[in-house]
Amino acid sequence: MAFSLKALASRNLSRSVRQFSSSTQNNAKVAVLGASGGIGQPMSLLIKQSPLVSHLALYDIANTPGVAADLSHIETKAKVTGHQGPDELQECLEGCSIVVIPAGVPRKPGMTRDDLFNTNASIVKTLAEGCAKYCPKAMIGIISNPVNSTVPITSEVFKAAGVYDPNRIFGVSTLDIVRANTFIAEAKGLDVSTTNCPVIGGHSGITIIPVISQCTPKVSFGEEELAQMTDRIQNAGTEVVNAKAGAGSATLSMAYAGARFTFSLIEAMNGKQGVIECAFVKSDLTEATYFATPLLLGPNGIEKNLGIGTLSAYETKLVKDCIEELKKNIKKGEDFAANN
Ligand code: NAD
Ligand code: LMR
C-alpha cells in the first residue's frame, strides 16, 4: 500500500486512503461502466487502490474479462469482477453504492463535445436504465460527454422509472477543478496541494466557469492574464484532444479526477463531515435547470448545494453568457430521453 499512496501523490486520493484505513465501513461496491476504455482502465486501477472499496465491478461491451483478470491480481482488498455485454449488466450493478460511467466515444480534433451526442446519448440512456432498475439508490457519476446533456438524460430515465433522486445524480466536472488548481498554482508558484478553485456552470467551452475570485489561497491576476487563464481552463479538454491528434481525449487526468470524485462520495457516505466537490447537478440557482456548483456531500448524496457565492463582474458576465447554451444542451438531453 505504501507504493500506491506514494504513486497517487495527491491530496484527495492519498488523504482518502489514509483517513479511512481505520474506518469500519470499508465496504463500498463500485461499478465502472465503460471500464475497458481509455478512462475506464486507469480509473479502475486507482479505485482498486482504495481500502474503502470491497468490490469493484467492471462493465463494458468489450474486453472486460482481460481488464478484470489483470486488475484482480493487485494485492489490495477490493474483489474485482468483469461483466461483458447487456446480459451481464444486472450482475454488475446489483448491490452497488456508486456507479461511475465513462462509456462512450471521445472527441477527435475539430469536434465539439456536442458532436458526441448522437452516439453517446443512447449509450448513457441504456446504462442509466440499468442503474434505475438494478441499483436505484446508488450514486451515479456521469463522465460520458456531452455531460451537459447526458446528465439530464440520466435524470429523465430515473424519473420514468419512478426512482429519481436529484441528490444522487452527478455530472463529473472534477477535471475542470483539477485543471484550474494545476494551472493557477503553476502561474502563481503556489503549492498545488493546497490550491482550490471552484469551477461552476457546465462542462463544455463557455459553460465552464472558473471562479478565480474565490480561489484559496487568494490570487490576483491582471485583466489580460485573467482572461487567458479562464480561456485555458475552458479549453483544456481541447488542448489534450489536439495534443493526442486523433487518439482521443483526456484519459489519465480524467481517471484521476473520476477517482477523486468517487473517493469523496465514499468518504461522505461513510459519514465524514465537510466533504465538498463541485459537480453538474439539478439546480434552481439560475435559469438553467442543471448547474455545477460546490456541493456539500453526505450519506445521501448532496447534503447541501453551497451555491454560486459572490462573483466578480467578469465572472457574473461569464455566467450570464453561458445560460442560453446550457439551457439548449439540457433541453437536447431531455428531448432525447422523451422521444427515445
Ligand atoms: P474510450 O473510447 O477509450 O472508452 C470508452 C469505452 O466505452 C470503451 O471501452 C467502449 O467499449 C465502452 N462502451 C461503448 N459503448 C458502451 C456501452 N453501450 N456500454 C458499456 N461500455 C461501452 O473513451 P474514453 O477516452 O474513455 O472517454 C469516454 C467518454 O468520457 C467520452 O465520451 C469522453 O468525451 C468523456 N470524457 C469526459 C470527461 C469529463 O470531464 N467529464 C473527461 C474526459 C473524457
Ligand atoms: C475534457 O474536458 O477533457 C473532456 O470533456 C473530454 C473532451 O472532449 O475535451
Side-chain angles (χ1 to χ4, degrees), residues 22 48 63 74 84 122 153 205 224 234 289 324:
S22 60
K48 172 73 173 107
N63 303 327
I74 292 173
Q84 185 162 295
S122 57
I153 290 173
E224 197 178 323
Q234 290 181 325
T289 49
E324 282 316 307

Side-chain angles (χ1 to χ4, degrees), residues 19-263:
Q19 284 177 344
F20 279 84
S21 52
S22 60
S23 167
T24 51
Q25 298 182 59
N26 302 333
N27 57 2
K29 178 177 176 185
V30 178
V32 177
L33 313 185
S36 307
I39 296 166
Q41 289 201 40
M43 187 171 72
S44 300
L45 171 63
L46 293 174
I47 294 171
K48 172 73 173 107
Q49 311 287 311
S50 171
L52 305 180
V53 178
S54 60
H55 184 170
L56 176 59
L58 308 177
Y59 177 83
D60 204 297
I61 50 169
N63 303 327
T64 18
V67 176
D70 192 355
L71 283 177
S72 72
H73 291 187
I74 292 173
E75 53 174 353
T76 55
K77 171 179 140 178
K79 175 175 93 169
V80 179
T81 53
H83 310 268
Q84 185 162 295
D87 290 349
E88 299 183 13
L89 185 60
Q90 176 174 358
E91 194 187 7
C92 172
L93 292 175
E94 275 174 350
C96 278
S97 34
I98 298 178
V99 182
V100 199
I101 309 185
V105 292
R107 283 198 285 164
K108 290 192 188 313
M111 292 172 80
T112 65
R113 291 177 182 81
D114 187 58
D115 291 335
L116 304 172
F117 185 93
N118 287 346
T119 309
N120 290 352
S122 57
I123 293 175
V124 171
K125 181 166 179 283
T126 305
L127 295 175
E129 283 163 356
C131 295
K133 190 164 177 192
Y134 301 124
C135 55
K137 292 275 183 206
M139 305 295 163
I140 311 292
I142 304 289
I143 293 173
S144 317
N145 271 317
V147 166
N148 294 357
S149 304
T150 51
V151 171
I153 290 173
T154 304
S155 298
E156 292 308 306
V157 166
F158 273 65
K159 279 182 205 167
V163 293
Y164 180 52
D165 179 352
N167 293 326
R168 291 170 188 262
I169 295 176
F170 303 89
V172 182
S173 59
T174 318
L175 182 52
D176 298 320
I177 291 84
V178 166
R179 287 167 168 157
N181 294 346
T182 304
F183 301 162
I184 291 169
E186 265 169 20
K188 293 293 171 190
L190 300 172
D191 174 0
V192 72
S193 71
T194 55
T195 303
N196 190 19
C197 178
V199 181
I200 64 172
H203 179 70
S204 74
I206 61 162
T207 73
I208 298 171
I209 301 170
V211 188
I212 296 175
S213 68
Q214 291 175 17
C215 181
T216 51
K218 204 147 189 53
V219 290
S220 116
F221 288 99
E223 208 174 300
E224 197 178 323
E225 207 190 355
L226 179 66
Q228 279 168 2
M229 177 58 73
T230 302
D231 183 74
R232 180 156 187 227
I233 295 164
Q234 290 181 325
N235 292 301
T238 306
E239 184 179 316
V240 179
V241 169
N242 290 340
K244 291 199 174 181
S249 56
T251 53
L252 303 173
S253 51
M254 183 60 236
Y256 167 88
R260 165 179 155 168
F261 188 71
T262 302
F263 295 149

